[in-house]
Amino acid sequence: MRNPIQKRIQQRPNTRTLRIFGVPPQVTKDQLEADLLKLSNESSQGDLKLSLVPANDTQISTVTFPREPPHFTECKPGQKISLNVEGICDQLVFDCDFFGMTPLYSATEPTVDIVAMTGLAGHAFGSWKSPGKSTMWLRDFLPLSLPDVRILTYGYDSALKGSTSTNSIQQYSR
């Protein structure tokens, strides 16, 4: 007999968050969302969690799919993939590492920048969300409380080389 925690873990959808580079400046969030829905075969716009933020002469997006679309299984740490997204751009670049600066939200005229940086063995996006959930605190909730800011996350290779530890923060706190 499975315990309730094992049952919940098995019922979690395989959520996947990717960063998208090279979104043309004229593309709106609704356009990008609609085309990503077609690409992923999701049923409605509520299925995706998406950010789209200007960055120099282009835009950067983050997208969380409730189930990983087959097109993105090739996107592994250290590898980027390029896809033609019909109606948007000939080549959008997708990655899952989030190395470097990733804008998550920006007011039209931000009054302050908030830069979130994870600790060792963390992930610039995944460290700020609950496992198996599609929402991310910095992208989906903080802008509701602080609408006049710009929110960025900074990612770097923080893997602990050779570590075999599987302990969680809860285990260390005991």
Side-chain angles (χ1 to χ4, degrees):
M1 188 170 173
R2 291 181 296 189
N3 71 37
I5 293 173
Q6 287 174 324
K7 189 175 180 181
R8 269 197 315 246
I9 289 170
Q10 289 176 344
Q11 291 174 344
R12 282 185 191 155
N14 185 15
T15 62
R16 181 79 188 267
T17 301
L18 299 168
R19 177 172 56 175
I20 308 170
F21 293 100
V23 180
Q26 71 275 12
V27 172
T28 67
K29 187 175 178 181
D30 288 340
Q31 285 175 301
L32 181 61
E33 189 169 16
D35 286 331
L36 289 171
L37 279 168
K38 287 182 217 166
L39 197 61
S40 68
N41 297 320
E42 293 298 334
S43 58
S44 69
Q45 288 186 325
D47 290 341
L48 299 180
K49 298 291 182 194
L50 182 79
S51 68
L52 183 62
V53 182
N56 300 321
D57 59 346
T58 186
Q59 297 183 92
I60 295 177
S61 175
T62 62
V63 60
T64 304
F65 296 96
R67 287 164 294 285
E68 182 174 355
H71 301 2
F72 301 113
T73 57
E74 299 291 317
C75 192
K76 305 273 187 234
Q79 297 177 325
K80 293 179 167 88
I81 61 168
S82 296
L83 287 176
N84 178 4
V85 179
E86 192 174 325
I88 297 289
C89 186
D90 288 340
Q91 290 293 309
L92 291 180
V93 178
F94 295 78
D95 87 321
C96 59
D97 290 318
F98 287 77
F99 289 164
M101 202 67 76
T102 303
L104 299 171
Y105 169 81
S106 184
T108 305
E109 294 186 33
T111 57
V112 69
D113 287 342
I114 297 172
V115 180
M117 193 164 133
T118 188
L120 290 176
H123 185 273
F125 193 91
S127 292
W128 306 101
K129 66 186 279 300
S130 296
K133 302 280 185 180
S134 61
T135 52
M136 193 262 214
W137 177 68
L138 296 168
R139 177 188 68 188
D140 302 317
F141 301 115
L142 191 57
L144 301 174
S145 298
L146 301 171
D148 296 331
V149 303
R150 179 169 51 176
I151 303 169
L152 307 107
T153 184
Y154 181 77
Y156 60 101
D157 185 0
S158 64
L160 300 173
K161 306 290 187 231
S163 175
T164 58
S165 174
T166 58
N167 290 343
S168 68
I169 197 75
Q170 289 84 5
Q171 290 166 317
Y172 284 120
S173 68
R174 292 182 186 159

